[in-house]
Amino acid sequence: MDEVLDRAMQVFRERGYDGASVDALQEATGLTAGSVYKAFGSKREFFIAAYDRYVSERRKLVAMRLAQAVTGRERIAATLYAYLESASGEDGRRGCLVVASLVEASTLEASLRASVAATLADNRAGLTDMLQEGQLDGSVRADLPVEPCVDLLLALLQGLRATGKLRDPADPDGLVALALKILD
């Protein structure tokens, strides 16, 4: 099942929900239309399963990076590097399923849009925690306005994933160093 979801995930990442036809999903997964509907009930349910797996796998990758970080600032840097890595090479060209879904948010049905909004809210909460942790441990300026900084970092992370569809980031270390300057 995970292999089928991984293959479907690639189709949704590259084409988005609306652009992913059942024919494309069949071709990618090797399932017949009947098998797709038998296993998942609908394209919508197939998408939800692939989306949930995608988010879970991405969170594991970021968590591995964060395990090495000690301060809030280091955790933010580790998050930036994780996103830069995902925005590079073949993985970057496939795109981000969250970003693809954000782009389509106005056309998605309410429950799918809510799922994407929940993912973004979780990411935002994680960044808020890292910034506040950094303020407490002294690695982030204590008087830094957290809310606008979180919004800026979130936009940067999603933007990296979006532009990764066309090109690799030019200077990852320079980008991280520049982004961290806003914490000073």
Side-chain angles (χ1 to χ4, degrees), residues 17-182:
Y17 177 75
D18 287 333
S21 67
V22 174
D23 287 342
L25 291 166
Q26 284 178 240
E27 185 178 324
T29 62
L31 297 175
T32 64
S35 297
V36 168
Y37 289 109
K38 185 176 181 181
F40 298 99
S42 67
K43 174 183 163 183
R44 178 187 172 283
E45 295 302 318
F46 201 4
F47 173 80
I48 290 170
Y51 182 86
D52 289 346
R53 178 161 170 76
Y54 178 82
V55 170
S56 174
E57 292 300 308
R58 289 294 167 185
R59 286 196 173 134
K60 287 177 190 173
L61 290 173
V62 173
M64 286 178 11
R65 286 271 192 169
L66 293 177
Q68 308 301 320
V70 177
T71 67
R73 183 185 199 94
E74 288 173 358
R75 290 170 51 81
I76 292 167
T79 301
L80 286 163
Y81 276 114
Y83 273 72
L84 282 163
E85 184 178 308
S86 294
S88 301
E90 187 178 328
D91 195 39
R93 300 307 165 267
R94 284 191 186 109
C96 172
L97 188 50
V98 175
V99 170
S101 300
L102 283 170
V103 170
E104 291 183 313
S106 64
T107 63
L108 293 176
E109 63 180 74
S111 64
L112 296 178
R113 193 171 43 251
S115 187
V116 175
T119 300
L120 215 54
D122 287 346
N123 291 349
R124 192 175 192 293
L127 288 168
T128 300
D129 290 346
M130 289 178 219
L131 277 169
Q132 290 173 337
E133 178 185 346
Q135 288 177 319
L136 289 173
D137 68 31
S139 64
V140 172
R141 194 177 85 220
D143 65 342
L144 182 76
V146 173
E147 294 301 315
C149 188
V150 167
D151 287 339
L152 182 61
L153 287 170
L154 187 61
L156 173 60
L157 294 173
Q158 298 309 310
L160 288 171
R161 292 306 313 267
T163 58
K165 287 208 50 117
L166 295 177
R167 67 172 189 82
D168 288 354
D171 179 8
D173 292 330
L175 190 147
V176 170
L178 187 60
L180 293 178
K181 286 184 182 282
I182 66 171

